[in-house]
Amino acid sequence: QVQLVESGGGLVQAGGSLRLSCAASGRTFSNYVMGWFRQAPGQERESVATISRSGLSTYYADSVKGRFTISRDNAKNTVYLQMNSLKPEDTAVYYCAAKETIVVLTTPTLYDYWGQGTQVTVSS
């Protein structure tokens, strides 16, 4: 079992920044591909960014490329999502997820462990 706890969400004006953190416990963190996903009201959960076990490979949704950065610190069992130039359409509940694999996956249903989510609201 892996337990994931997100933090860092909040209310921010358009153009602002937030940094989300996801602390993991329970298993060897470096064995897991990690992903950030988001879900807005009435919409399906979508991939935002994912990162390989080493941190050397990353994936970003087109909608966040150049604005968001995913990173991880395996010594601290934590994955981060730095979000800059936020837009109202980034408003959603953000979740981190883990999958014990070597493949950087972007499909939410393939991930095994999920955090409880953290709300991000961007005002215009």
Side-chain angles (χ1 to χ4, degrees), residues 44-111:
E44 294 186 353
R45 192 167 298 188
E46 63 175 357
S47 177
V48 174
T50 56
I51 189 166
S52 64
R53 300 187 302 178
S54 66
L56 295 179
S57 296
T58 57
Y59 159 86
Y60 296 96
D62 288 343
S63 58
V64 306
K65 279 181 182 176
R67 300 189 298 122
F68 290 11
T69 302
I70 187 171
S71 62
R72 67 189 294 163
D73 186 337
N74 286 344
K76 295 183 178 180
N77 292 351
T78 303
V79 61
Y80 305 97
L81 185 68
Q82 178 67 44
M83 305 186 295
N84 299 329
S85 302
L86 283 160
K87 304 175 181 181
E89 51 263 43
D90 294 318
T91 296
V93 178
Y94 283 71
Y95 300 89
C96 72
K99 172 74 175 181
E100 190 170 12
T101 180
I102 61 172
V103 181
V104 178
L105 301 171
T106 61
T107 304
T109 54
L110 296 178
Y111 281 75

Side-chain angles (χ1 to χ4, degrees), residues 4 11 18 20 29 31 42 45 51 92 99-100 107 112 119 124:
L4 303 172
L11 173 64
L18 283 174
L20 305 183
F29 181 68
N31 286 348
R45 192 167 298 188
I51 189 166
K99 172 74 175 181
E100 190 170 12
T107 304
D112 297 317
Q119 176 70 45
S124 57

